[in-house]
Amino acid sequence: MPATIRDVAKKAGVGLGTVSRVLNQSPQVSDRTRQRVQDVIDELDYSPNPIARRLSLGKTHTIAVIIPFFTRPAAVERLRGITYSISGTEYDLIVANIETPERRIAAFRELARRERVDGVLIISLPFSEKDAELFIKSGIPLVFIDVNDPLLHDFNRIVVDDIEGGRKAVQHLLDLGHTNIGYISDVLEDPFPFSASRARFNGYRQALEAAGISPCPELHRHGEHSRSDAKIITAEMLRMPDRPTAIFAASDTQAIGVLETVREAGLRIPEDLSVIGYDDVEIADHLGLTTVRQLLVESGEKGVRLLLEVMQDPLREAECETLPTELIIRNTTAPPG
Amino acid sequence: MPATIRDVAKKAGVGLGTVSRVLNQSPQVSDRTRQRVQDVIDELDYSPNPIARRLSLGKTHTIAVIIPFFTRPAAVERLRGITYSISGTEYDLIVANIETPERRIAAFRELARRERVDGVLIISLPFSEKDAELFIKSGIPLVFIDVNDPLLHDFNRIVVDDIEGGRKAVQHLLDLGHTNIGYISDVLEDPFPFSASRARFNGYRQALEAAGISPCPELHRHGEHSRSDAKIITAEMLRMPDRPTAIFAASDTQAIGVLETVREAGLRIPEDLSVIGYDDVEIADHLGLTTVRQLLVESGEKGVRLLLEVMQDPLREAECETLPTELIIRNTTAPPG
DNA sequence: GTAGAATATGGAACCGGTTCCATTTACTTA
DNA sequence: TAAGTAAATGGAACCGGTTCCATATTCTAC
């Protein structure tokens, strides 16, 4: 049904190559011929078939984003930035939502192929040495957002210094006078843990040690990255004889779970217990949550820009851009009662 | 670099058609030949080029979702359901994020083309008669989620009865004894308003009228679909001499803005003012928000399933599935003080 | 006006699959 | 064993673009 380049050529009385040259703004067409062809293109409402174009050019014009979308609200805001930067480019954004380890492996396997995508963005996901081999072998341009690991030294990254971010969170609590500070995070002993959680934990530890406080293993607990697990863990912590006076949660999602349990226990926030999260997702403002802010939307935008550059110039050196974190003090932290 | 079907044929000593038959599970291949070809496929780590396949088959294997993604958290949860249902199919999901009317028009224009996508899902967006013509002309399979308009009678839809949903919200307030009930919504006088907001407004009005209360125009205000606009509008309402004792907000997002302003005004929720939202997005539970629940994830899942069926059988009659709404009473509504 | 250089153009070949029909091969029956 | 039928196979044509080189046309300089 839709007109093809052959229809245009025939009706304009020119060759296929000439139509192609008009379509692709080649200077090697006379103005007169160009106008004639353009008139026919308009008349037939012709536009090129993207699939045929992609096959011919040997490019997919597709960028894949692999994302644990719905279990990490922060990731949603990164994706927002990604859609902004992709919009107006010639690329399609395909989304692979990863909510289980099995899905992650399958997605990597499927997408690490040059005939499949031109580039890949990986957001907030664990990444193993074996995964790295797969992508290196494929030669697919790859950018990580919020994944930072020594393993990734030779890959392009947009990250924050999560050690510093973790330190800021804990330093804020120390400045308020807290010394008995809990930390709730994702599981850190997985074969492939999410690197940012581990770094935030290291920041937690470093800040305590710098203040001459020996980190107490009882005060660090982990579970799935979810509000409900954080609720359960917080309840356990509140049952400790020497319960913490403040809790640092590794993400705002988990901090929300903490808030819930603390309130259900009849404790006042922040008078009886201070809570600080990490990310500054959109709802954090509404909740009055004290948190460490990351530039989530900007990280997505920059990730796309970096990927486009890598796709343009595959020989460029791997780059790692570190975005700032910022302590955002709202209403969930105060000096210990 | 990657092996092609020609490499496989040559190495296996068969013709292209035979390799294709093996790839596509045709019965018309002897077991012996099939095994021989499969061994070579494994040896060369060959997989078909999806672009070539799509051109040959005349299918894009792509489904587009057009979504006002980030301005409507409910849409994010619908998208979650979409990713669940798409996962495991042969289709790529491309996401077009629409945050302005101009972007909407451009996206429709680009995507209403058979060489571009095999099907389209449109979520929570305004849709005009002109838009309808564009899609009818293209013959693209199309399913709407959360768009319900007489104009769409001949299109496939997954909807809720928003009139009933709006009535439920207001009926709940009436049952509590409220008679002075405000309503905050999106702009309804746009050339192409979002249909669900209008329907919820109709529900609001019907419930009042059924209770013998004449709807007061001063009690209905609208702005952009955002938390911040809802904050401003609520402040205006609170300044009314005869301010409402309860507010029905057309979405949870807007309800959150209402909560903020009410609290900033030093009023207690729900003692001084009751608030009810609409959607039951994930954070509503944490906020203790009374709301009208929609099955958001399920609406996405069903939308994909319906679209796949329409793509399978283009001659099928247009279908409209109506999902239930449910009143969810939490802590933001109580009898008037 | 002629020769040479520059510009414009057409279309065969190509991208990597699928498909369909002519041909070949294998099997069955008399 | 021969004839007929069924199954298997090969490869040309096709999908709709892009590109590159041979050729045609236009322009410039003498």
Side-chain angles (χ1 to χ4, degrees):
Chain A
M1 283 358 145
T4 69
I5 197 169
R6 281 166 182 83
D7 301 323
V8 175
K10 186 168 182 182
K11 196 168 181 75
V14 299
L16 295 187
T18 302
V19 180
S20 191
R21 273 183 286 268
V22 172
L23 289 174
N24 295 290
Q25 287 85 47
S26 168
Q28 211 77 343
V29 189
S30 73
D31 289 344
R32 193 155 155 275
T33 302
R34 188 186 301 274
Q35 186 59 54
R36 193 160 88 242
V37 172
Q38 190 59 54
D39 290 343
V40 172
I41 287 169
D42 295 340
E43 182 187 337
L44 296 183
D45 196 30
Y46 165 77
S47 57
N49 182 328
I51 306 180
R53 245 188 131 247
R54 289 168 186 189
L55 182 60
S56 195
L57 289 170
K59 302 183 62 171
T60 68
H61 289 131
T62 302
I63 286 173
V65 52
I66 309 181
I67 188 166
F69 202 126
F70 298 102
T71 58
R72 294 179 189 268
V76 173
E77 293 183 28
R78 297 186 201 274
L79 186 59
R80 180 179 190 169
I82 287 168
T83 66
Y84 290 160
S85 289
I86 286 269
S87 171
T89 72
E90 62 188 339
Y91 290 93
D92 283 351
L93 178 68
I94 65 171
V95 174
N97 176 26
I98 307 302
E99 294 194 4
T100 68
E102 295 75 43
R103 286 275 331 126
R104 201 191 100 244
I105 292 162
F108 285 170
R109 215 182 279 288
E110 191 204 329
L111 294 172
R113 293 165 53 208
R114 294 212 71 109
E115 344 81 69
R116 190 73 183 81
V117 293
D118 291 338
V120 177
L121 294 162
I122 296 180
I123 303 183
S124 307
L125 278 170
F127 199 74
S128 71
E129 193 144 341
K130 191 158 188 182
D131 299 329
E133 283 166 22
L134 188 65
F135 277 97
I136 290 170
K137 183 178 164 191
S138 73
I140 299 265
L142 182 58
V143 171
F144 293 92
I145 301 174
D146 190 40
V147 188
N148 198 7
D149 197 280
L151 171 67
L152 301 186
H153 180 263
D154 293 331
F155 289 94
N156 292 286
R157 282 159 288 154
I158 307 288
V159 297
V160 299
D161 184 345
D162 284 304
I163 296 175
E164 185 201 36
R167 261 203 325 259
K168 277 180 183 173
V170 178
Q171 191 58 53
H172 169 61
L173 296 172
L174 292 169
D175 291 346
L176 289 174
H178 295 275
T179 54
N180 202 17
I181 300 170
Y183 179 65
I184 293 183
S185 75
D186 307 8
V187 178
L188 299 183
E189 271 73 44
D190 255 358
F192 315 119
F194 175 45
S195 60
S197 296
R198 206 207 269 103
R200 290 168 208 175
F201 176 57
N202 288 338
Y204 163 79
R205 272 195 332 193
Q206 284 177 19
L208 290 183
E209 282 163 358
I213 299 169
S214 177
C216 167
E218 298 299 303
L219 287 176
H220 168 225
R221 299 184 183 224
H222 50 247
E224 291 299 307
H225 182 102
S226 70
R227 202 171 114 208
S228 49
D229 265 32
K231 283 189 70 168
I232 294 162
I233 291 166
T234 304
E236 289 168 15
M237 273 196 185
L238 294 188
R239 285 197 287 271
M240 287 172 66
D242 190 25
R243 83 165 192 238
T245 59
I247 295 179
F248 168 37
S251 70
D252 289 350
T253 302
Q254 290 155 313
I256 292 170
V258 175
L259 294 178
E260 286 175 9
T261 295
V262 171
R263 286 188 175 129
E264 280 166 20
L267 300 178
R268 296 163 305 170
I269 290 162
E271 294 91 344
D272 298 326
L273 193 127
S274 292
V275 181
I276 183 167
Y278 201 99
D279 287 330
D280 198 29
V281 297
E282 192 151 339
I283 204 68
D285 171 39
H286 173 74
L287 298 176
L289 182 65
T290 298
T291 186
V292 175
R293 173 179 287 165
Q294 301 195 59
L295 300 175
L296 296 169
V297 173
E298 286 84 350
S299 75
E301 289 173 335
K302 283 179 182 289
V304 172
R305 279 190 223 122
L306 180 54
L307 185 61
L308 294 177
E309 283 169 19
V310 172
M311 284 154 60
Q312 195 97 336
D313 177 12
L315 296 182
R316 87 200 301 276
E317 272 197 38
E319 179 176 327
C320 178
E321 182 168 358
T322 301
L323 298 184
T325 56
E326 184 188 353
L327 181 67
I328 303 293
I329 300 170
R330 292 194 183 102
N331 308 323
T332 57
T333 50
Chain B
M1 277 11 130
T4 68
I5 198 170
R6 281 165 182 86
D7 299 324
V8 174
K10 187 168 179 179
K11 197 167 180 75
V14 298
L16 295 186
T18 301
V19 180
S20 192
R21 271 183 289 268
V22 172
L23 289 173
N24 295 290
Q25 287 84 47
S26 168
Q28 210 78 346
V29 188
S30 71
D31 289 344
R32 197 158 151 274
T33 302
R34 189 185 302 275
Q35 186 59 54
R36 193 161 88 241
V37 171
Q38 191 58 54
D39 289 344
V40 172
I41 286 169
D42 294 340
E43 180 187 338
L44 295 182
D45 196 31
Y46 165 77
S47 59
N49 181 327
I51 306 179
R53 243 186 136 247
R54 289 167 188 190
L55 182 60
S56 196
L57 290 171
K59 301 182 62 172
T60 68
H61 288 132
T62 302
I63 286 172
V65 53
I66 309 181
I67 189 168
F69 202 125
F70 298 101
T71 58
R72 293 179 189 271
V76 173
E77 294 184 26
R78 297 184 202 274
L79 185 60
R80 179 177 189 172
I82 288 168
T83 66
Y84 291 160
S85 289
I86 286 270
S87 169
T89 72
E90 62 188 339
Y91 291 94
D92 283 349
L93 178 67
I94 68 172
V95 174
N97 177 27
I98 307 303
E99 294 193 8
T100 68
E102 295 75 41
R103 287 276 328 128
R104 199 192 101 245
I105 293 162
F108 285 171
R109 216 183 278 289
E110 191 203 327
L111 294 172
R113 293 165 53 208
R114 294 212 72 108
E115 342 80 69
R116 189 72 184 83
V117 294
D118 292 338
V120 176
L121 294 162
I122 296 180
I123 303 183
S124 308
L125 278 169
F127 199 74
S128 71
E129 194 143 340
K130 193 158 184 177
D131 299 331
E133 281 166 21
L134 187 64
F135 277 96
I136 289 169
K137 186 179 162 191
S138 72
I140 299 264
L142 181 57
V143 171
F144 293 91
I145 301 174
D146 190 43
V147 190
N148 199 8
D149 196 278
L151 169 68
L152 300 187
H153 180 261
D154 293 330
F155 288 93
N156 293 286
R157 282 160 287 154
I158 306 289
V159 296
V160 300
D161 184 346
D162 283 305
I163 295 176
E164 185 201 34
R167 256 197 333 249
K168 278 180 180 172
V170 178
Q171 192 58 54
H172 169 60
L173 296 173
L174 292 170
D175 291 345
L176 289 174
H178 295 275
T179 54
N180 203 19
I181 300 170
Y183 179 66
I184 292 181
S185 74
D186 307 9
V187 180
L188 300 183
E189 270 73 47
D190 256 359
F192 315 119
F194 176 46
S195 59
S197 297
R198 207 209 267 102
R200 292 168 206 175
F201 176 57
N202 288 338
Y204 163 77
R205 270 195 332 192
Q206 284 177 21
L208 290 182
E209 282 163 357
I213 300 169
S214 178
C216 170
E218 299 300 304
L219 287 177
H220 167 226
R221 295 179 188 230
H222 51 244
E224 290 301 305
H225 182 101
S226 69
R227 203 171 112 206
S228 50
D229 266 35
K231 283 190 71 170
I232 293 162
I233 291 166
T234 305
E236 290 167 13
M237 273 195 185
L238 294 188
R239 285 197 286 272
M240 286 172 67
D242 189 24
R243 80 164 196 240
T245 59
I247 295 178
F248 168 38
S251 70
D252 288 351
T253 302
Q254 290 155 315
I256 291 169
V258 175
L259 293 179
E260 287 175 7
T261 296
V262 172
R263 287 189 175 128
E264 280 165 19
L267 300 178
R268 295 163 305 169
I269 291 161
E271 294 88 344
D272 297 326
L273 191 127
S274 291
V275 180
I276 181 165
Y278 201 99
D279 286 328
D280 197 25
V281 297
E282 191 150 337
I283 204 69
D285 172 38
H286 174 74
L287 299 176
L289 182 65
T290 298
T291 187
V292 175
R293 174 179 286 166
Q294 301 196 59
L295 300 175
L296 296 169
V297 173
E298 285 85 348
S299 75
E301 290 175 333
K302 282 180 181 291
V304 171
R305 278 192 222 121
L306 180 53
L307 183 62
L308 293 177
E309 284 169 18
V310 173
M311 284 154 61
Q312 194 94 337
D313 177 12
L315 295 182
R316 86 199 305 272
E317 271 196 39
E319 179 176 325
C320 179
E321 183 169 357
T322 302
L323 298 183
T325 55
E326 184 187 352
L327 181 65
I328 303 294
I329 301 170
R330 294 194 180 104
N331 309 322
T332 56
T333 50

